Amino acid sequence: MSLCFAATSTSARLRLLRNGERLGIGMHVLFTVFLGFTEDPYPYVRKASLDGLLGLCKSGNVFEDISVIEGCYFRAVELLQDKEHSVRSAAIRVVSEWGQMLIAAKEENDKIDWSNQVFVQLCSMVRDMSVEVRVEAFNALGKIKLVSEDILLQTLSKKVLAIMKEKNSHGQCTAERFEILASSYAGAFVHGLEDEFHEVRKSACNSLRIHTILYAEFARRSLSLLMDMLNDDSMAVRLEALETLHHMATFECLHVQEIHMHMFLGSLLDNCDLIRSIARKIFKLVKLSNLKLFRSSIHGILQNLERYTKDEADVFSVLFFMGRSHGNFAAHVVKEVSQEIEPVLEGKLVLDSARVAAFLVLAISAPLSQNQNGQNIPPRLFSYAVTLLGRISSALREVVDQDTLLAYLSQCSRSSTRGTEVEESPLLPVVDDAVLTHSRKDVNSPVGVPMLQTGNENSKVQPVISCELEDLATSIVECQADELDEVMKSVNLILARVRDAWLLVQSRCTNVAVRALRDCKRELAMLTSASLESAGILAFTMQYLQVMKLFAKIWEHVVWKIRSDETGGLEYLFGKLDVRLRELRYRYIGFSKEEELYVLELIVVACMLRLSKVEICCSPTTMKKLSAIISHIEILNDKGPIEPSNILMDAKKTVHEIESSKAGISCSLFLITNLVDFFTLKQFSLCSRVRHINAELDVPGNDSENPLPFVSGLPVAIPLDITLYNVSSENRLWLTIRMSQESTQFVFLDLNILGGCNEVKKFTFMAPFYRTPKARSFSSWISIGMECALEDCHLVKHCGGPKRKLVYLCQEKEVHLCLVRRD
């Protein structure tokens, strides 16, 4: 405390406040220091103090004295009016977290009043001038679990509602005071959804999600606003609006009306695969009130199938669930289109019609509905469905296996009626509606129940345990069920499009392919991760897309020879590709053998492309690298049987021919060229949980205005806050400190001395820098690199530095230093 209050330098106070929690100081002392410095004249110090208070709250510390909690909360409320936007953003986070702590500490009768008060305080910030503050405000609103219905309804109307005026008629406050109070949260969500910045609109959609399941009237009024967001210019906003609608459908709070259908069905025809996928998930769960809505929905889903044939499996699955939930409506539609399903062309069924197959899926699902009364499905339709068993069972693999489906269709095709007899059939067990609604396998729901165990006639479905409203809301905030599986599925949808883009490259449509890859990168950037595993998968996919983009540009140079750029430009592309492939190989762990083999195949193709353009590089070095990769593939094959692709087998054979050739590489280049010409990219999908080796580096309190002191000619210690992710003791890490491209110093990070390795490891390190120049000030750049353990063909010579090439785990951090003045 004496250091903090005696420090005259802003950077010194900042450094102490940012590192306060690491010093092992008592909680109450830290609280006192953080709270005191919220009144510091410098905004960065106030922000650091607020961040410290937030850290105390999130670390699980318990404050028994409620006055302490109130003091912190009300101080943060005061700072909501701070002149600096970064301070206001930090204050919002403190109001949210400490406000929830305050609500929990109050008596049961007072909880809802205090919850309303915190909610209203946060609503007052949604019209702030700063985009960052508005986004933070809506993020915080989504964390308040329970709010009175009248206040929530007021946030959807810019005019003060009659119900609010009626409540104030009892004399709770003056009319003028009431108008000021009500206007602070009137239309809060409307303002957010109409904001000019897509980040704010996206955050507002997300914030609505928690509150729509609490009150039916609020959900009904929110629906119109959310439907309008489906026409938003930003793909991220449309995606977030659909996620909110999906959340409402999961908890049976989504009641679609005819006025909404046009915009809703438009999402099924969106260019983005993710948007169409989420829209279809909603149709799996939504309950439609009349036949007209059901007919319109089926028409829209079939339009989706006609325009995007690759969505067939998912469309069939949606139709099955819709028929299961709306048996009578499904039977009506099947009866209306029965002429389309009947055999044509001399008594032969048109099996290649996706539309016919879709109607057959709808037909076979209708008898499984619990509300299908008196509407019979002709037995012959089940016989027709048997001829499409492979396509249908593939689409329904998450619900039923092929053998059980075949037995069900066979029995139904022999029956004369399709009433209760089918429902009692043990061949296809019927799943309870609640289970279908809340199944973890089909929806991203916090309520997890077992799905149908196909093929087991004795399987039983456990009923969903009903929860009270508050418990349900708590589970939504605290649980993110199957987040990793959802990320994997979305990523694999994107990866499936990469192969299509490569086919465009081979068809000499490189520009179109590059645009397609850019679209993939934009869609990937919209995905969010809540765990290290999902973050690793997203990082790997982004790296892979960058590699394929470079391949496309190089292919245009080398194979099609379309561009006439200088050799230097092509060498630059090869250099970037080498770096990206090296990162792809060494910065990600947890690959299956097939996935590792695929990455090695990309490196082999890159080597062959270099060799086919031999004048730009040193051929022996590339050949040595290619031989090393081939040898590594053979080692993988020895550990377990794997099936290398044709390009790897041919490359291995070609390398042996070149090495045995007395004429050298130049006489065998035609072999390489032929291999490159016949290369075809395989379909790649992620099955393993890939982890990302990553690092974060920070120099606390250092910037151009607060440089570190040094004495010319003497070493200087640079304090670093380092965070390592997924680094093992086998990895050799180096700090690189450079003043220029020619002058680089290496410092080895011995992880054994620094305390071993965990999935996430944080520590402070004093990095010595010996080459202080004779200057008044200078800057250096620091990064963390990892040696490529298997790059024996790329040995480098650094005195006291790494022996092999490095892959860098973080961006370079600039460090400012200033000469100490001598009086």
Side-chain angles (χ1 to χ4, degrees), residues 420-441:
T420 56
E421 176 187 350
V422 173
E423 292 183 5
E424 295 173 357
S425 170
L427 292 173
L428 191 65
V430 179
V431 186
D432 186 84
D433 280 335
V435 179
L436 286 174
T437 302
H438 297 292
S439 168
R440 294 173 67 96
K441 187 174 285 189

Side-chain angles (χ1 to χ4, degrees), residues 656-715:
H656 290 319
E657 290 182 8
I658 293 175
E659 289 176 344
S660 60
S661 173
K662 295 182 179 179
I665 296 174
S666 58
C667 296
S668 303
L669 282 181
F670 73 95
L671 296 172
I672 298 291
T673 305
N674 289 338
L675 280 178
V676 170
D677 289 341
F678 289 105
F679 169 67
T680 302
L681 189 71
K682 295 189 301 183
Q683 179 62 55
F684 176 64
S685 61
L686 277 174
C687 300
S688 305
R689 298 188 174 186
V690 179
R691 289 174 292 155
H692 188 200
I693 298 178
N694 197 21
E696 293 176 1
L697 183 66
D698 187 33
V699 186
N702 180 254
D703 53 37
S704 57
E705 296 181 358
N706 299 286
L708 295 175
F710 79 97
V711 176
S712 180
L714 296 179

